[in-house]
Amino acid sequence: MRVKVEVRLKPGHFDPEGDVAAKSLRDLGFPVSTVKVGKVYILEVEVDDREEALRLAEDMCKKLLANPVKDDYSVEVLSP
Amino acid sequence: MNANRFKALVLRTGGTNCDLETKVALEELGVKTEIVHMNSVEKKNLLEYHLIVFPGGFSYGDYVRAGAVWGKRVLAKLRLELEKFIEEGRLILGICNGFQVLVEAGMLPGNGAGETPSIALANNSSAKYECRWVWLRVENDETPFTMTMRKGEVLRIPVGHAEGRFLTRSEEDLEELKRNGQVVFRYVLPNGDDANGLYPFNPNGSMYDVAGICNKKGKVMGMMPHPERAFFGWQLPEWDRRPPEKGDGRKIFESIVKYLHDSNGL
């Protein structure tokens, strides 16, 4: 199963990289008020069951890919 | 003081730095110190050591999050031994990246190990790598790492990190750390007054200006500043202007050695 994991800072958390990107986009004339930067992980999870793949990916977020103190995450199956 | 009977283990992995400085500091005070790479750590019996140090650096390229990958690798390889080590009340010191590792491995602020961290060392609020001398105030002088100091004493020690902004899940979690005496060092102004988040004295935007914390027993401590970089007078900014013989970072190592002596190693 190909799974997409997105990890991003929780709302209200200070995101300096996003702030700098927003500023630079405004410099170029784009009407951008805020940018939030996150990370995307594309995983090949070696299970056949969709629900199992999602459950494993959530567990991966809790144990490594995200720090629940500051990060939100979402998981999504891309292809069987 | 003869500290020869005490042994320290300095762990390293790809991207570690200041492991040698840490060894030199400990050996200067007579503690027999070994630097061991994570790849060969399984051959060692951790319980032969009185102190384990996780040094600074950029382990595993700071990928995923600073300290995350090394933290989980430590759990995968050493979890049971480390739990025993902590339960016996032996000392663990994490410096900079080592502090991040202790957080990611659940050894701080808790008393055991576990994958999911309950605090974070987030990116600095300056959005930059901060490499500068800072002033720390001793908040708890009863830990093995601070017992030779007095509460309120100010130490000058450098930081060098991009992810050091101390965060708890809630104000309540922070209050609990304070109540338990787990806040060991706070960033302050040079005169020892609260920094209240003022940059660059608080270099990273840490909550409550926290620079270092310990577990409830006080035996596991992590700090962002690098005491081994302020050990000898010649490491200080005034090195070319008749520096003092000793830097303030030395006090932390001296305290560890005194604790080991007083407690006979435990």
Side-chain angles (χ1 to χ4, degrees):
Chain A
M1 287 272 166
R2 178 169 294 183
V3 176
K4 182 167 103 173
V5 173
E6 259 185 53
V7 180
R8 59 200 169 278
L9 289 166
K10 283 186 172 171
H13 265 265
F14 175 66
D15 182 353
E17 191 175 354
D19 293 348
V20 171
K23 183 170 182 289
S24 188
L25 288 169
R26 284 194 295 272
D27 284 346
L28 293 172
F30 291 106
V32 174
S33 56
T34 58
V35 174
K36 293 292 168 196
V37 178
K39 275 189 177 178
V40 175
Y41 297 86
I42 307 290
L43 317 171
E44 297 292 340
V45 184
E46 300 197 332
V47 294
D48 295 327
D49 182 61
R50 198 184 169 84
E51 293 307 312
E52 173 72 352
L54 288 173
R55 195 188 62 74
L56 287 174
E58 290 228 356
D59 205 28
M60 292 178 208
C61 290
K62 287 179 192 144
K63 290 184 172 172
L64 175 68
L65 300 177
N67 180 335
V69 178
K70 66 181 177 75
D71 299 322
D72 275 339
Y73 54 83
S74 57
V75 298
E76 175 188 347
V77 172
L78 292 184
S79 69
Chain B
M1 261 193 292
N2 174 17
N4 281 325
R5 60 205 163 94
F6 299 121
K7 282 175 74 179
L9 175 66
V10 177
L11 285 171
R12 64 160 293 123
T13 188
T16 295
N17 67 28
C18 288
D19 45 327
L20 187 57
E21 283 87 336
T22 305
K23 177 180 158 92
V24 168
L26 286 164
E27 297 215 318
E28 183 78 9
L29 300 177
V31 179
K32 193 166 178 298
T33 304
E34 279 176 69
I35 297 175
V36 174
H37 195 280
M38 281 300 287
N39 289 349
S40 45
V41 72
E42 282 138 317
K43 295 175 201 145
K44 300 286 174 183
N45 173 9
L46 295 191
L47 297 173
E48 280 178 19
Y49 300 92
H50 303 96
L51 165 72
I52 297 176
V53 185
F54 291 91
F58 306 86
S59 54
Y60 300 92
D62 279 351
Y63 294 141
V64 184
R65 270 188 317 286
V69 178
W70 194 10
K72 312 311 167 182
R73 196 157 176 78
V74 163
L75 287 179
K77 288 196 163 203
L78 304 172
R79 183 174 193 152
L80 292 177
E81 271 192 287
L82 274 176
E83 280 175 352
K84 184 131 201 290
F85 193 91
I86 292 171
E87 197 183 304
E88 288 191 5
R90 293 172 190 247
L91 305 184
I92 299 180
L93 171 63
I95 299 167
C96 193
N97 191 220
F99 183 11
Q100 295 159 340
V101 169
L102 294 179
V103 168
E104 289 289 343
M107 289 186 268
L108 282 176
N111 285 319
E115 286 96 350
T116 306
S118 60
I119 57 174
L121 292 159
N123 48 0
N124 294 346
S125 43
S126 63
K128 286 191 299 188
Y129 180 83
E130 293 290 341
C131 184
R132 58 177 74 253
W133 287 81
V134 295
W135 287 265
L136 308 177
R137 190 173 66 211
V138 178
E139 297 291 304
N140 178 347
D141 59 2
E142 290 170 11
T143 77
F145 307 93
T146 53
M147 64 183 287
T148 56
M149 306 162 205
R150 59 190 157 68
K151 197 172 168 177
E153 188 169 339
V154 176
L155 312 179
R156 188 183 51 155
I157 295 178
V159 290
H161 61 253
E163 296 178 44
R165 183 165 49 97
F166 176 85
L167 285 180
T168 57
R169 282 175 299 199
S170 61
E171 286 288 335
E172 200 161 294
D173 280 9
L174 176 63
E175 288 305 319
E176 192 187 335
L177 291 179
K178 290 196 283 196
R179 263 200 310 278
N180 295 339
Q182 289 180 257
V183 176
V184 182
F185 294 115
R186 290 177 70 197
Y187 301 111
V188 290
L189 306 182
N191 66 5
D193 288 349
D194 287 354
N196 289 323
L198 183 69
Y199 178 84
F201 302 102
N202 174 338
N204 50 32
S206 283
M207 272 174 108
Y208 191 57
D209 304 315
V210 170
I213 62 164
C214 62
N215 69 352
K216 276 186 201 154
K217 284 185 183 168
K219 307 292 174 63
V220 178
M221 184 181 80
M223 60 190 294
M224 288 314 296
H226 278 270
E228 79 288 359
R229 293 186 191 170
F231 189 85
F232 298 102
W234 47 260
Q235 291 175 300
L236 307 181
E238 61 274 27
W239 63 273
D240 58 349
R241 284 160 281 151
R242 295 179 185 272
E245 194 188 328
K246 300 171 181 179
D248 288 344
R250 185 179 182 118
K251 293 177 184 172
I252 292 170
F253 294 101
E254 284 175 346
S255 182
I256 291 170
V257 171
K258 177 164 174 14
Y259 171 81
L260 291 176
H261 267 276
D262 292 357
S263 64
N264 210 13
L266 267 180

